[in-house]
Amino acid sequence: RGPFPGIIDIYGVGGGLLEYRASLLAGHGFAVMAVAYYDFEDLPKVPNTLEMEYFEEAVCYLLQHPQVKGPDIGLLGLSLGADICLSMASFLKNISATVSINGSAFCANRPIHYKQTTIPALGYDLRRTKTTFSGILDILDVRNDIVGGCENPSMIPIEKAKGPLLFIVGQDDHNWRSDLYAQVASERLQTHGKEKPQIISYPGTGHYIEPPYFPVCLASLHTLVNKAVIWGGEVRAHSKAQIDAWKQILSFFGKHLGDTQNPRL
């Protein structure tokens, strides 16, 4: 009957509203809200800036829902969605557990804005794009260098996050260097007197770590270049990672958001 622990679920570049992961999470005793932030109904076709006030409204809406058990909620994001979740955890209240799936902890291609604070975009150079033997693009090296490491001005101030952070990392991610970024995030937290975050790193695993038994996405259209790009990963290793990562995510939220009424894995 509820109420249930609340989670906001956010996907990355591509836009629209994806609800299948939220639906699967809900089957494990969570009240889950999938949030679209561009290219859906009356939302902008392409956002120029990521406004945290928009996501703050989502947090407030979820916490006011009678089926949601407060006082805090959790966040789950993939890729750009993971960076949005890390920004929400850093700037907003009432967030006690955040999972980043192959996020970067940097402001990627668009500035992040909240009240009087703006985080500048790290930026990229498409001239560093490579072409694989199959003719598909590899964009691993297009992002600008993280000069200054964990103190780069484009890094999200994750040391302000209230609750624990879990980084799920694919070691063969070809969207960006998720394994490096997770280590830089850990360095930033420790530099600011925080504990090391939990980092679970999977060899042979690419960018799109989906729920268990979903087909492995090795390549697809990327809106940044409007062409197919490789995401990395080897089918067997990536598939096994998706099974284990799901268990880790459910365990993390179960621990930090409170026991659910249907805690099966």
Side-chain angles (χ1 to χ4, degrees):
R1 293 182 179 274
F4 306 97
I7 296 173
I8 285 178
D9 183 22
I10 305 178
Y11 267 82
V13 170
L17 179 62
L18 301 175
E19 297 179 295
Y20 58 90
R21 188 171 62 191
S23 176
L24 291 170
L25 268 178
H28 292 272
F30 299 99
V32 191
M33 178 181 175
V35 175
Y37 53 100
Y38 78 99
D39 198 16
F40 180 73
E41 294 185 349
D42 63 342
L43 294 172
K45 192 70 177 178
V46 177
N48 295 320
T49 304
L50 296 172
E51 301 285 352
M52 284 297 107
E53 284 83 356
Y54 172 79
F55 299 98
E56 189 172 38
E57 285 187 35
V59 173
C60 293
Y61 174 85
L62 190 60
L63 280 169
Q64 291 170 4
H65 196 287
Q67 287 290 82
V68 174
K69 179 175 68 176
D72 297 330
I73 62 168
L75 304 174
L76 173 62
L78 167 70
S79 191
L80 174 58
D83 291 339
I84 290 173
C85 287
L86 291 170
S87 300
M88 293 169 68
S90 302
F91 290 115
L92 308 182
K93 299 177 180 178
N94 302 111
I95 294 165
S96 62
T98 304
V99 177
S100 164
I101 304 175
N102 279 331
S104 70
F106 282 84
C107 180
N109 306 327
R110 300 172 182 87
I112 293 173
H113 181 264
Y114 182 64
K115 294 184 177 179
Q116 306 303 317
T117 301
T118 298
I119 303 176
L122 187 63
Y124 58 90
D125 186 347
L126 293 180
R127 292 176 296 181
R128 293 193 288 264
T129 301
K130 300 176 183 177
T131 304
T132 66
F133 71 95
S134 61
I136 300 176
L137 299 182
D138 186 342
I139 62 170
L140 178 60
D141 295 321
V142 302
R143 296 189 88 188
N144 292 338
D145 291 336
I146 49 174
V147 178
C150 68
E151 297 301 330
N152 185 290
S154 292
M155 190 163 193
I156 298 164
I158 54 175
E159 69 278 1
K160 297 180 180 179
K162 172 185 174 184
L165 307 175
L166 168 60
F167 289 86
I168 303 287
V169 174
Q171 292 182 15
D172 192 37
D173 185 351
H174 275 255
N175 181 69
W176 51 38
R177 302 184 187 280
S178 296
D179 51 351
L180 169 65
Y181 292 143
Q183 295 304 322
V184 174
S186 178
E187 180 184 343
R188 179 169 183 119
L189 288 170
Q190 294 175 78
T191 299
H192 288 266
K194 303 289 185 176
E195 293 184 1
K196 286 185 178 181
Q198 184 180 1
I199 300 174
I200 304 176
S201 186
Y202 296 100
T205 302
H207 188 64
Y208 268 108
I209 301 176
E210 292 277 45
Y213 315 116
F214 274 64
V216 177
C217 182
L218 298 177
S220 68
L221 180 72
H222 195 306
T223 56
L224 181 66
V225 294
N226 201 31
K227 293 180 181 178
V229 303
I230 62 168
W231 299 115
E234 184 274 322
V235 172
R236 182 178 180 84
H238 192 107
S239 298
K240 292 175 68 175
Q242 291 188 162
I243 295 171
D244 186 74
W246 186 248
K247 293 178 181 179
Q248 299 286 351
I249 290 167
L250 292 174
S251 175
F252 180 80
F253 282 135
K255 176 181 179 181
H256 297 292
L257 297 180
D259 294 334
T260 67
Q261 298 184 18
N262 189 15
R264 65 184 184 277
L265 298 180

